[in-house]
Amino acid sequence: MPSSPQHPAPTPSDLSGAVAEDLALYREKFRRRLPESLDELHGPTQGIVELPLHMAWSGMTSYDMSKPRQRMGLYRTVLHEGLRNDLPRYLNQDLLLQLWPVLRTLVGRTVRAVWEDAFPQLASRTRAAA
């Protein structure tokens, strides 16, 4: 919509407020999906894992857990696209803790922050690996 007296162009302060609100909503989307505890994560650690299309909508749907790159790709996809009920089904607590120091560099900043804020043991694994 072009700028007019009835609809002035947004100012930089309006944009920063809108951006902040969008970021807060985006962060909340991931926060609501979190399990209560990492103890809930009992997903597979071996074999072939098939993801449903609501998570694997833009790429691979089948992941071989014996292949490190595929395992990392599975976790990255589930963290970004998985719903609350998907996380315990596809993520494994021990494997998540093991992968986190590298995985945290592959996920978006918001996903990383939400998980590390909720589960300090993830952030401490990162510091221990450094």
Side-chain angles (χ1 to χ4, degrees):
M1 173 185 303
S3 171
S4 70
Q6 296 85 14
H7 301 285
T11 65
S13 62
D14 293 337
L15 290 178
S16 64
V19 169
E21 185 176 336
D22 287 349
L23 288 174
L25 289 171
Y26 189 62
R27 183 180 175 92
E28 181 63 16
K29 173 180 95 166
F30 290 109
R31 195 196 62 69
R32 280 183 279 141
R33 296 176 181 183
L34 291 174
E36 293 294 320
S37 164
L38 293 182
D39 293 335
E40 294 178 28
L41 305 179
H42 297 288
T45 59
Q46 57 189 6
I48 305 296
V49 177
E50 300 283 339
L51 290 182
L53 288 177
H54 74 269
M55 280 191 288
W57 54 269
S58 68
M60 291 177 54
T61 59
S62 181
Y63 296 83
D64 184 341
M65 296 298 283
S66 69
K67 296 182 178 180
R69 290 178 71 110
Q70 288 190 28
R71 189 171 52 233
M72 196 70 74
L74 170 80
Y75 272 60
R76 182 174 184 262
T77 299
V78 173
L79 289 171
H80 277 274
E81 305 297 337
L83 303 175
R84 185 175 183 89
N85 292 335
D86 295 322
L87 301 178
R89 182 175 179 185
Y90 294 102
L91 300 179
N92 177 279
Q93 175 183 359
D94 294 335
L95 193 51
L96 178 65
L97 288 168
Q98 175 190 336
L99 296 176
W100 191 255
V102 173
L103 184 59
R104 72 182 303 276
T105 68
L106 302 175
V107 297
R109 181 180 302 159
T110 302
V111 171
R112 178 175 55 245
V114 165
W115 278 81
E116 288 183 350
D117 288 350
F119 306 111
Q121 61 268 47
L122 291 173
S124 68
R125 296 279 302 186
T126 301
R127 287 189 297 275

